[in-house]
Structure formats: C-alpha cells, structure tokens
Amino acid sequence: MTFYSEIESLHQEEIQALQLKRLQKTVQHVFTNVPFYRQELIKQNISPDDIQNLEDIRRLPFTKKQDLRDQYPFGLFAVPNEELVRIHGSSGTSGKPTIVGYTKNDISNWSEIVARAIVAAGGQKGDIFHNAYGYGLFTGGLGLHYGAELLGCVTVPVSGGNTDRQITLIQDFQPKIIGGTPSYVLNIAEKMEELGLNPQDCSLQYGIFGAEPWSEELRQTIEEKLGIKAVDIYGLSEVIGPGVSIECHEAQNGLHIADDHFFVEVINPDTLQPVPDGEDGELVFTSLTKEALPIIRYRTGDIASITREKCVCGRTTTRMSRVKGRIDDMLIIRGVNIFPSEIERYLLQLNELVPHYQIHLVKKGPLDSVELHCEMTQEFYTLLPNFDLQHEQVLLLQKKINHSMKANCLVSMDIHIQPPKTIPRSEGKAVRIIDKRKEFVSKK
C-alpha cells in the first residue's frame, strides 16, 4: 500500500478532531472577512463560538452557485488582492461565471491534494504524465499540473485538442499516466485506431478522468481500448478544483475524499435534511483550509452517496460514490426522472454501437420527448447491403435499443441510428444534451 500522506489512514476520531478544529477556524475566518457570510450568520443568530462539534455544521447556511454569481466577481473573497496569487473561473455558459481565488497557501494545499490523488491513481515520482485537461480559467489543467509536479512527475502540458499531436507525443514521450475528460481520451484512442495504431500498444498504464459524468460501461470501454486502469477524479472550482476526491487504482470502488481539507454532507435536495450513509442525495462540501475563498456548505448539485468503511487499499478516508448525475442535468420526461449517465449505461451494453451519442430534447405536441441519436460501429455498418440505413438489421437494432431504454429508463425514445463518425467527437467536455424544445415552440 502506497500513500502520499499518513493522514489518509488516520482513525476516524483523529480526522474528526482535525476537521472540527479547522471548521471552527474557517467559520471565524468567514465571519470576520466575508460580509456575505457574516450577514447570513447574523440572520440565523449564529456566531463562530456556537460551533462546538461537527454536528453544529447543520446550523450554518447553505451556499449556492447563484450566491457566487450574485457576489461576482470578488464579493466572497476573504483576503485582499495583495494576498492573492491566482484567479480561476467557470465557463460562464449560463449567466455570470463563478470566480474563485487562491492564496499561495491555497495553491500549496491544492497541489498536495492533487499529488495525493495521483498516487492513489497509481502514479509515482518520475512517471511521465500526459495532461490533456484544458489549461486556462478552467481549473482542470493547472490543478493536475501543479499536483503532478509536486509529486515529481514529468508533466507534459499538452492541454486539450489537436488530437494528432496528442498521439505523436504519446508515441514519442512514452507517458505512463494520462489525464483528461473520458470522452476526449476515448476520442484519442479511436483516432489511434483510424491511423492504424493499436492503442493497447502504447505506454499508458493509468488514466485520471473527470470533469463530466461517465458510466462504468464507458470506463470498461476505455480500459479495454487502451489497456489501462481508468480512475474517476472529482472536484469543483468552487470547492477548490480537481482532487477533492479520487478513486484508488486498487479498488476503483468509491472516491476517497481529502477529509482533512473538506467536510462532506449528503442531503435530500428537496427537504435539505441529511440522508444516511449509503443513500443517494446531493453532495454538500465545506472547505476547511481555504484562505482566499472559503466555502460554507456548498450545494454542488451532484448526486452521490458516501461511506466511511475502510477501503481495501488501506485508506480510512470517507468515500463518495461516483456521481450519478447533476440535479440540473436530470431529464424529466412525462413524469419520469432520467440522468444521461443512465442512458449511457444501457446504450454501451450494445455491441453494435460505439460509445458516442446525443440526447435531443424535443416537443411532441404539448409533451416533452427524447430523440436518442447513436452511432453504429464500422463493423456493423459494413455488413449492411449498400449501407442501407433502412435495412431490416438496422430496424431491429432500433427496436432493441428502444426496448432497453423503456425497460431500464422507463421512457420510450425515438431512436436515430447514424453511420460511423457522424456524431461530433469531444475535445473537452462532451456535449450530450441538445435542447430543441424552444426551437420547436418558436417554429409553431
């Protein structure tokens, strides 16, 4: 068993004592330095001295993404500009972006958290790390970069895109680890095959994938194509960035949370009450060591569960399940709740299809409906006489897919099977959902 830090194997009593100490310091920090939090605490008649045990965290107010947008750009910062060394932000695709800041100590802590994560994934000093996460305001690229360097990895900051160059560097540099979104790394593997290369012949042994939901079936596909161990990493810029939690390569069964830096809760998103360990709910994180942008009970919108059982790898840290989906990504079709990851799970079980798809939301009369666009394999396509998409075999495959979706996701879908290489490939986060409902209304 290899750990980056002995703190990963502390007894629960020890880690909880450390969490309480750091929580008390954090609450005092925000009360003193962040007017937004001070006002919220005063509204609820809470002072920092009221935090006497970890259960008292439930008395603190929640923070929502809208709060960060309302305080744009620097309203939630707890230190003056002179103490900042870096600013990151979200893409801002819906309204103002969320802006996060870091002190020198924040960057140091974040780097150690990510270094710890890379070790859990199977990495070690001297490994060449091919970093295909995007660099820039997005926290992924630089977050993994600094952690890899701290660990002593040889870091290749290739970023996303330019897939041919990615393949050349993988061939020439012989990296052991690759990091990126799972959809983009799958794109790299498929491009290798198009070039007549066998992805399994490359030097890669481990992959650290995140920034988008992905299913166990997609994990299996990537592992088989590249001959690697693929682990899931989790993080949000609002909490710190990548590294909040990660799977270990030994078990690949739950993501180990850096308990000494983050306190996790799971709540019912409707009642806002805590749910028992092992039960799905919305993840809520409180930072315990951040200086520039401490965050209190941040509602992530991500659905998962937690367990505190010791892992087979020897770590005693709290583990969260892989994210099932996001509350705002959940589709409600004729009263049925569906996460895109559930559709992916069953779609990837069909050998006639490649793991690329899009979900189009449309209107059928007054009702919402789903068009599922999926892509056949080249092998299946070449078996069709004259590549006839209306061939009996294609129609049978449509029925097979629709039966699987109706049986497992409880919704009938209009299935559109497309020829190979027709669904756009990802060079970052995959675009899985296309909402055409407003377009339909405007045409009416």
Side-chain angles (χ1 to χ4, degrees):
M1 299 176 185
T2 303
F3 301 143
Y4 182 85
S5 169
E6 63 179 16
I7 208 160
E8 297 172 86
S9 58
L10 290 179
H11 293 298
Q12 281 292 315
E13 296 79 9
E14 295 174 292
I15 193 65
Q16 288 172 1
L18 179 61
Q19 287 180 319
L20 176 58
K21 181 179 178 181
R22 290 180 170 180
L23 174 63
Q24 291 169 329
K25 184 176 179 181
T26 295
V27 174
Q28 182 65 63
H29 184 42
V30 300
F31 188 86
T32 304
N33 298 300
V34 184
F36 168 81
Y37 279 126
R38 181 165 58 252
Q39 292 167 11
E40 291 299 311
L41 290 170
I42 291 173
K43 280 182 191 177
Q44 299 191 32
N45 196 28
I46 300 170
S47 76
D49 292 337
D50 292 329
I51 306 303
Q52 296 298 314
N53 54 60
L54 289 177
E55 286 70 31
D56 286 336
I57 198 170
R58 297 174 186 169
R59 301 180 59 190
L60 300 175
F62 290 106
T63 307
K64 304 179 293 296
K65 178 165 284 196
Q66 189 59 45
D67 294 325
L68 279 82
R69 289 178 175 147
D70 291 344
Q71 298 295 319
Y72 176 89
F74 308 138
L76 289 181
F77 285 13
V79 299
N81 285 354
E82 291 79 5
E83 295 181 31
L84 293 172
V85 297
R86 193 190 302 173
I87 289 175
H88 280 286
S90 70
S91 59
T93 53
S94 55
K96 291 283 190 181
T98 55
I99 301 300
V100 294
Y102 301 82
T103 65
K104 184 176 181 180
N105 194 50
D106 289 336
I107 295 295
S108 177
N109 284 335
W110 187 18
S111 300
E112 181 179 337
I113 289 165
V114 174
R116 184 189 307 182
I118 295 172
V119 171
Q124 56 188 340
K125 182 178 181 179
D127 290 343
I128 297 179
F129 177 57
H130 184 96
N131 191 5
Y133 280 106
Y135 281 66
L137 278 179
F138 170 60
T139 54
L142 285 170
L144 269 295
H145 183 109
Y146 272 65
E149 285 192 341
L150 180 63
L151 177 59
C153 294
V154 183
T155 309
V156 184
V158 64
S159 193
N162 201 336
T163 306
D164 288 338
R165 181 180 62 179
Q166 303 262 359
I167 293 170
T168 298
L169 295 180
I170 290 171
Q171 287 181 299
D172 294 347
F173 294 176
Q174 298 287 297
K176 181 178 176 182
I177 312 171
I178 187 169
T181 63
S183 58
Y184 183 52
V185 174
L186 176 63
N187 186 8
I188 293 174
E190 290 184 339
K191 185 65 174 179
M192 286 180 173
E193 292 173 332
E194 289 178 25
L195 296 172
L197 304 172
N198 183 352
Q200 290 193 359
D201 290 340
C202 74
S203 59
L204 294 171
Q205 296 181 31
Y206 299 101
I208 299 175
F209 305 133
E212 62 187 17
W214 54 304
S215 64
E216 284 293 329
E217 286 69 24
L218 184 54
R219 187 215 297 268
Q220 183 178 349
T221 298
I222 293 173
E223 289 188 335
E224 289 176 352
K225 277 189 176 292
L226 285 165
I228 63 173
K229 272 285 187 79
V231 303
D232 192 8
I233 191 170
Y234 176 82
L236 307 92
S237 59
E238 299 91 335
V239 178
I240 201 167
V244 172
S245 66
I246 191 168
E247 291 177 316
C248 60
H249 70 278
E250 294 96 335
Q252 294 175 293
N253 182 25
L255 288 77
H256 294 271
I257 297 170
D259 284 330
D260 50 324
H261 293 279
F262 313 105
F263 185 84
V264 64
E265 303 170 78
V266 182
I267 64 169
N268 181 309
D270 296 320
T271 67
L272 305 184
Q273 295 303 306
V275 303
D277 289 1
E279 184 175 315
D280 285 340
E282 181 181 1
L283 291 172
V284 174
F285 279 98
T286 297
S287 66
L288 300 176
T289 56
K290 285 175 67 180
E291 295 176 340
L293 184 75
I295 198 88
I296 300 294
R297 303 193 80 193
Y298 182 69
R299 294 186 59 184
T300 66
D302 293 324
I303 301 298
S305 61
I306 61 171
T307 179
R308 303 177 201 278
E309 295 178 359
K310 184 178 179 180
C311 182
V312 296
C313 72
R315 291 176 178 83
T316 56
T317 46
T318 306
R319 278 178 292 151
M320 53 177 272
S321 69
R322 300 184 69 197
V323 173
K324 182 178 181 180
R326 288 189 53 78
I327 292 173
D328 50 7
D329 283 344
M330 185 175 69
L331 310 177
I332 304 176
I333 307 299
R334 295 188 289 281
V336 178
N337 298 344
I338 314 169
F339 287 107
S341 57
E342 292 179 282
I343 295 174
E344 177 180 288
R345 175 184 176 189
Y346 296 106
L347 203 60
L348 268 59
Q349 293 176 7
L350 301 173
N351 294 328
E352 300 92 338
L353 302 175
V354 298
H356 298 282
Y357 64 94
Q358 284 188 335
I359 301 163
H360 291 199
L361 303 179
V362 298
K363 283 282 188 182
K364 277 194 173 182
L367 300 176
D368 291 343
S369 186
V370 174
E371 292 179 357
L372 180 56
H373 293 250
C374 41
E375 187 180 294
M376 63 182 72
T377 64
Q378 186 66 44
E379 293 77 10
F380 183 79
Y381 185 58
T382 55
L383 292 176
L384 302 177
N386 301 317
F387 307 118
D388 180 9
L389 295 181
Q390 296 302 313
H391 188 270
E392 179 184 2
Q393 291 300 317
V394 178
L395 299 178
L396 286 173
L397 179 56
Q398 284 180 322
K399 290 181 180 180
K400 185 178 178 181
I401 297 168
N402 196 29
H403 175 76
S404 177
M405 294 300 119
K406 190 170 184 179
N408 296 297
C409 299
L410 307 179
V411 171
S412 293
M413 304 180 188
D414 292 329
I415 308 301
H416 297 256
I417 301 177
Q418 301 179 195
K421 311 300 179 185
T422 54
I423 291 180
R425 293 332 193 224
S426 164
E427 291 195 348
K429 292 188 180 183
V431 178
R432 298 297 194 200
I433 302 173
I434 310 294
D435 193 341
K436 296 184 173 181
R437 291 172 293 186
K438 290 183 180 179
E439 175 185 322
F440 176 89
V441 171
S442 65
K443 287 181 180 178
K444 297 294 283 188

